[in-house]
C-alpha cells in the first residue's frame, strides 16, 4: 500500500522539477584567425570599462569608452556590451563585438540601470574580449625588455600571424591556452586591418 501512495507523489515532484527547468546549451568556441575575427566583428576597439551592471538586465552589461577605434565606433564613443561576467572595471580591453539588432531594456525601471540601450555582444564564448595589462613575460635579457604592456590572447582559439610572438611559448601550456602579446604589436596589426589601403 505504501508503494502505491508514493507513485503519485513522485509523479507530482517530477512534474514540478521539469516545469522549473531551463534548457542550457553548451557550445565550444570557434577557432579564428585574427583577420577573420576582425572581419566578423561589427566593432573592434581598445575600450576602457567604466562601469558594469549585473542586476538590472537579463545578463551582464558593461559600459565602456573607446580609447582607440579600429572598426565600427569612433574614438570617445560609449559602448554597452556583455554578456560574460568577469571583466575588470577601470581596465582596458581589446574588444571584437557584434551589434545586437534590438535595444535591450532593464528588467525594472530602476534608476541605477543604463535604461534602454543599444548593445553589442562579446562573441566566440568570450574569447573576443582580450584584457590588457603591464606584464613581465616577454623575451629579452634585461628586465626593461621583458616588461611591457601586453594583450592576453587565447591562442588556442584566436590564431595570430606566425610573425607575432606570444608568451609563454607554445611548449609551455598556460591555462586555457592564453598567452601575452606585446600591445604595441597587436595594436599595429589591428590598425593595419582597419585601414588596408595604407
Amino acid at each position: 500500500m505504501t508503494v502505491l501512495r508514493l507513485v503519485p507523489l513522485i509523479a507530482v515532484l517530477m512534474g514540478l522539477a521539469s516545469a522549473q527547468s531551463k534548457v542550457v546549451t553548451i557550445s565550444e568556441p570557434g577557432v579564428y584567425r585574427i583577420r577573420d575575427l576582425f572581419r566578423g566583428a561589427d566593432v573592434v576597439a581598445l575600450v576602457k570599462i567604466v562601469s558594469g551592471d549585473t542586476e538590472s538586465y537579463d545578463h551582464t552589461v558593461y559600459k565602456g569608452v573607446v580609447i582607440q577605434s579600429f572598426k565600427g565606433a569612433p574614438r570617445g564613443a560609449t559602448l554597452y556590451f556583455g554578456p560574460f561576467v568577469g571583466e575588470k572595471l577601470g581596465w582596458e580591453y581589446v574588444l571584437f563585438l557584434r551589434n545586437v539588432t534590438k535595444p535591450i531594456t532593464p528588467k525594472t525601471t530602476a534608476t541605477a540601470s543604463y535604461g534602454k540601450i543599444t548593445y553589442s555582444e562579446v562573441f566566440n564564448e568570450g574569447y573576443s574580449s582580450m584584457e590588457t595589462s603591464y606584464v613581465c613575460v616577454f623575451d629579452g635579457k634585461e628586465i626593461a625588455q621583458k616588461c611591457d604592456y601586453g594583450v592576453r590572447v587565447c591562442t588556442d582559439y584566436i590564431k595570430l600571424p606566425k610573425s607575432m610572438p606570444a608568451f609563454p611559448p607554445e611548449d609551455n601550456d598556460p591555462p586555457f591556452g592564453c598567452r601575452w602579446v606585446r600591445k604595441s604589436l597587436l595594436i599595429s596589426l589591428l590598425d593595419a586591418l582597419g585601414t588596408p589601403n595604407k
Side-chain angles (χ1 to χ4, degrees):
M1 271 316 210
T2 307
V3 173
L4 293 177
R5 289 184 189 161
L6 288 176
V7 170
L9 179 60
I10 291 171
V12 169
L13 291 175
M14 287 177 61
L16 287 174
S18 66
Q20 295 178 5
S21 66
K22 287 187 175 183
V23 175
V24 176
T25 303
I26 298 173
S27 61
E28 280 291 312
V31 177
Y32 288 85
R33 291 183 327 174
I34 197 151
R35 178 181 306 276
D36 297 331
L37 191 70
F38 190 95
R39 285 185 193 136
D42 295 312
V43 173
V44 181
L46 177 63
V47 174
K48 181 177 183 177
I49 298 178
V50 296
S51 66
D53 188 337
T54 60
E55 183 177 33
S56 303
Y57 299 90
D58 288 333
H59 50 74
T60 301
V61 175
Y62 295 100
K63 178 181 178 182
V65 176
V66 175
I67 304 297
Q68 187 170 353
S69 177
F70 308 103
K71 180 181 180 183
R75 181 185 174 110
T78 298
L79 299 176
Y80 297 95
F81 63 93
F84 299 99
V85 72
E87 309 292 41
K88 300 172 185 173
L89 301 183
W91 287 49
E92 293 180 6
Y93 288 79
V94 174
L95 298 176
F96 296 76
L97 302 170
R98 288 188 180 149
N99 295 332
V100 174
T101 54
K102 292 183 181 178
I104 60 172
T105 306
K107 294 185 278 189
T108 65
T109 57
T111 56
S113 76
Y114 303 124
K116 187 175 183 178
I117 56 174
T118 302
Y119 174 79
S120 296
E121 187 173 59
V122 172
F123 61 101
N124 202 31
E125 302 303 314
Y127 290 108
S128 68
S129 173
M130 302 170 192
E131 172 187 322
T132 70
S133 186
Y134 190 78
V135 291
C136 295
V137 297
F138 301 109
D139 57 352
K141 294 182 180 183
E142 298 180 25
I143 294 294
Q145 297 168 328
K146 293 182 180 188
C147 298
D148 198 356
Y149 286 94
V151 179
R152 187 173 181 257
V153 180
C154 295
T155 56
D156 286 359
Y157 301 105
I158 310 299
K159 299 301 178 187
L160 298 168
K162 292 190 185 301
S163 61
M164 185 172 292
F167 301 89
E170 290 283 334
D171 57 349
N172 180 347
D173 194 23
F176 304 105
C178 298
R179 295 171 174 81
W180 291 94
V181 298
R182 291 186 189 269
K183 183 178 177 184
S184 59
L185 293 178
L186 186 65
I187 295 297
S188 293
L189 173 64
L190 295 176
D191 195 36
L193 289 172
T195 52
N197 297 329
K198 272 188 173 180

